[in-house]
Amino acid sequence: MAPGAAERIARLQLARSERIGPVTFAQLIARYGSAQAALVALPGVIRKAGGAAYTAAPRDRIEAEIAAGEALGARLLVIGDADYPETLAAVDPAPPVLWARGSLDALQTEAVAIVGARIASAGGQRIARGLASQLGEAGMTVVSGLARGIDAAAHWGSLSTGTVAVLGGGVDDVYPSDNQDLYDRIVAEGGILSESPPGTRAQARDFPRRNRIISGLSRGVIVVEAEIRSGSLITARLAAEQGREVFAVPGSPLDPRSRGPNALLRDGATLCERVEDVLDALGTLRAARIKPRPPAPVEISADLDKATLGAVEALLSPTPTPRDDLARSLGLPVAVVSGALLELSLVGRARLLPGGLASR
């Protein structure tokens, strides 16, 4: 059931509260059934876990964010909304809230991401634009990040058939500014998505989250040009973790921008020399769309004492550890360990990570 108006505002407030990331958000909803109930319970839970007085994100700040979004003509999407992209909702964990400008109709079809170097060669941009155009002609939407170079070429190539840009800043943060015309065209003909509040200017820490959304919206990610240490390879890694297909366009070993795709190919990425390589690998020439399934809910106990919290915390280290391994080591039910990790994360004594992992 889609959340009502009050619950939607509560989900935004919970998502904007201190120490509440996507994993913690999902577990709080699983434990309390709603964001409204979680917001009521949070101060007591944090006191029990040894934390100081806690206040959720101020309501006036949430109302200001909603007003800023509405002034832009943007729409708030919270997890559970009917128009929240279902492919992204199946990612574990999904972003709790998104802002959208333009139309998201393109995300009703299969999507493929195209990413790559900002300082791209003319040949690389030509390849990206051509692949995007051909994917659009085959009925697929192209997703990218509105950056210079490969991203911009992919958006331009798919404007007429369907493109979605995911931003690190707010939905009104055009970065780089010389992509303003492209941004305006995407608002008019495609869709813009962001996890950040409207008015936010992108910072370095925002781009990994942006990249995770790009891969999460897509069935596959194509890397055209990228150096070894680049955001494009982070997107490829995230795509692999999410069970998406990773494609790489090969290039000359003499060009540093080819090192990223060539490394991906050595590690098992699918070779992409023409659009048929993508369509064949994804099965779109012969198979109907498979509806993505959201992750199974995790049972999270609220029946905890300080001794249990201490025992779980003592097993944590900087190395991420599976929740199930902690439960086996302690001889405790997974639900109890999940509850302890949730409470420890709320007071900064544990970090919850995707895939049921936790660290100190």
Side-chain angles (χ1 to χ4, degrees):
M1 181 182 296
E7 174 64 12
R8 294 178 80 252
I9 294 174
R11 291 192 179 200
L12 177 60
Q13 185 177 14
L14 183 63
R16 299 298 188 227
S17 296
E18 187 179 359
R19 294 196 293 272
I20 309 295
V23 180
T24 307
F25 179 95
Q27 294 199 5
L28 285 168
I29 298 295
R31 179 163 170 173
Y32 295 105
S34 71
Q36 292 168 289
L39 287 168
V40 171
L42 266 178
V45 172
I46 289 174
R47 276 197 307 273
K48 188 183 82 171
Y54 182 86
T55 303
R59 185 60 178 257
D60 58 353
R61 197 177 91 199
I62 300 307
E63 292 172 352
E65 178 176 339
I66 291 172
E70 291 176 346
L72 291 168
R75 289 179 294 139
L76 174 67
L77 306 177
V78 303
I79 189 74
D81 281 348
D83 50 357
Y84 188 101
E86 64 175 356
T87 306
L88 189 59
V91 171
D92 184 16
V97 299
L98 297 166
W99 281 97
R101 288 196 75 184
S103 170
L104 298 182
D105 291 347
L107 290 178
Q108 299 304 311
T109 63
E110 301 282 4
V112 173
I114 299 178
V115 298
R118 288 173 168 80
I119 305 175
S121 69
Q125 293 180 62
R126 185 176 66 252
I127 290 170
R129 190 164 185 156
L131 284 171
S133 176
Q134 292 169 325
L135 286 167
E137 290 170 0
M140 304 195 78
T141 295
V142 172
V143 180
S144 198
L146 200 72
R148 289 189 181 94
I150 298 301
D151 287 21
H155 287 307
W156 282 118
S158 54
L159 263 177
S160 63
T161 53
T163 194
V164 173
V166 185
L167 309 186
V171 287
D172 54 341
D173 182 33
V174 185
Y175 180 81
S177 59
D178 51 3
N179 275 345
Q180 182 69 56
D181 289 346
L182 175 58
Y183 172 90
D184 293 340
R185 288 284 301 276
I186 296 175
V187 170
E189 303 176 46
I192 304 283
L193 277 178
S194 172
E195 193 177 3
S196 300
T200 303
R201 296 294 169 247
Q203 300 183 46
R205 66 173 182 267
D206 297 318
F207 289 105
R209 294 187 298 115
R210 185 275 309 258
N211 295 343
R212 193 166 188 272
I213 295 173
I214 289 173
S215 58
L217 289 167
S218 311
R219 284 195 62 197
V221 172
I222 304 171
V223 180
V224 178
E225 290 182 336
E227 298 200 25
I228 291 293
R229 298 177 65 86
S230 66
S232 299
L233 262 61
I234 292 174
T235 306
R237 175 180 58 79
L238 293 169
E241 292 174 356
Q242 293 166 345
R244 275 53 172 165
E245 192 79 18
V246 177
F247 300 90
V249 176
S252 168
L254 301 177
D255 187 344
R257 291 168 293 201
S258 298
R259 290 176 185 163
N262 291 347
L264 291 174
L265 290 169
R266 286 194 298 272
D267 292 340
T270 300
L271 177 70
C272 178
E273 293 180 309
R274 53 188 189 141
V275 73
E276 287 79 11
D277 295 329
V278 179
L279 299 177
D280 288 345
L282 296 181
T284 56
L285 297 179
R286 60 185 182 278
R289 184 180 187 192
I290 299 173
K291 188 180 174 99
R293 296 182 180 179
V298 177
E299 185 180 352
I300 301 173
S301 174
D303 185 18
L304 303 167
D305 53 31
K306 289 187 177 180
T308 301
L309 292 174
V312 172
E313 184 180 9
L315 289 184
L316 296 176
S317 74
T319 301
T321 304
R323 177 181 53 218
D324 292 356
D325 289 358
L326 296 172
R328 277 192 292 271
S329 296
L330 294 168
L332 293 172
V334 173
V336 171
V337 172
S338 296
L341 289 170
L342 173 60
E343 295 192 11
L344 290 168
S345 74
L346 291 171
V347 293
R349 287 153 51 193
R351 291 180 62 230
L352 300 183
L353 305 169
L357 301 174
S359 66
R360 188 180 299 280

